[in-house]
Amino acid sequence: MTARRRNQGANFIRGNSNELKSRRRKVMASRPRRVMESGTQQNIRQVDMALKVLSKKTAGDKTTIVAEVNNASLLPLADDVNVKVALYDSPLATEKATHTTEVTVNKADLYDANTKQNKVKIVTLTTDLVEGERTLYLRTTPMEDSKVLTDVRPSNNVLPVNITSKYKRGDANADRNVSVTDIAVVVNDILQLDNAGGFSRYGADANGDGNITVTDIGVIVDMILGTKTSANSRKMEPVLEPQ
């Protein structure tokens, strides 16, 4: 080893911790970034997100989920990188689950420019209820220029969320019973009249086709009489109460 190299090594060792951290950040910022677009690799920023579910509440026909999002990386997000937070039917799904909302957060939401520290962002998502129980997956998806970033560490950015409905098909007034009263509620909704009592759109859609029509009235009648429902209706199953 030459004297010059020994001196360089000694100078590096004697450098203070702040200087070493600064050098490390510069090295990390210069590392290549990748995204797949039509099979071609391009440079983008690596993102490391973390999630935590804070609360889950069911009211009416919807479940509201409040979650905490933060950037687990040492570096803040780039100015042109956003993070989509949404609910999916599976951990690897590319499209969010139907009848759910999504939230987009950016660098300003996750980084405090004054303290130069990452910060937490609280987001609220909602999903329509389904009959019985289902599991959705809360996930973050970093985006840049409307393209998904694929070079992302698998840090706690996918969380299962169990959704349990206390409503059932045919229970249009949400009183937990299927009766002639539910028929009147559906009729009022079709005629665009106000319903004085409770109303569950999920329950009023008795055949589960996404619409409230006279067909749903026939299905509710069949339920009350205990007869076989029409061919395009869904089989009624017991619905568990939320835990």
Side-chain angles (χ1 to χ4, degrees), residues 16 27 33 35 45 48 52 68 92 100 127 138 141 170 185 196-197 212 220 222 236:
N16 61 51
V27 170
R33 303 166 293 165
V35 67
R45 184 177 299 279
D48 185 12
K52 180 181 180 181
E68 174 185 289
L92 301 178
T100 62
T127 176
L138 180 64
T141 305
V185 171
I212 299 175
I220 294 175
D222 287 341
M236 290 292 296

Side-chain angles (χ1 to χ4, degrees), residues 62-146:
K62 295 185 180 296
T63 293
T64 300
I65 299 160
V66 179
E68 174 185 289
V69 186
N70 67 76
N71 181 8
S73 172
L74 293 176
L75 297 174
L77 291 177
D79 293 333
D80 54 353
V81 172
N82 295 320
V83 177
K84 180 172 69 175
V85 186
L87 294 161
Y88 298 84
D89 289 317
S90 73
L92 301 178
T94 56
E95 299 293 333
K96 72 181 183 69
T98 56
H99 305 299
T100 62
T101 60
E102 65 181 38
V103 176
T104 299
V105 297
N106 54 32
K107 177 180 178 180
D109 296 319
L110 299 172
Y111 183 73
D112 189 328
N114 295 323
T115 63
K116 300 188 183 305
Q117 298 288 329
N118 289 329
K119 63 181 181 180
V120 170
K121 173 68 175 178
I122 306 299
V123 300
T124 301
L125 303 172
T126 61
T127 176
D128 289 353
L129 294 179
V130 296
E131 192 169 351
E133 299 180 62
R134 69 168 171 168
T135 299
L136 295 177
Y137 295 86
L138 180 64
R139 195 178 78 215
T140 59
T141 305
M143 311 283 291
E144 184 176 51
D145 297 329
S146 301

Side-chain angles (χ1 to χ4, degrees), residues 35-48:
V35 67
M36 296 301 297
E37 180 183 7
S38 301
T40 303
Q41 289 190 350
Q42 299 181 355
N43 286 335
I44 58 168
R45 184 177 299 279
Q46 186 181 61
V47 182
D48 185 12

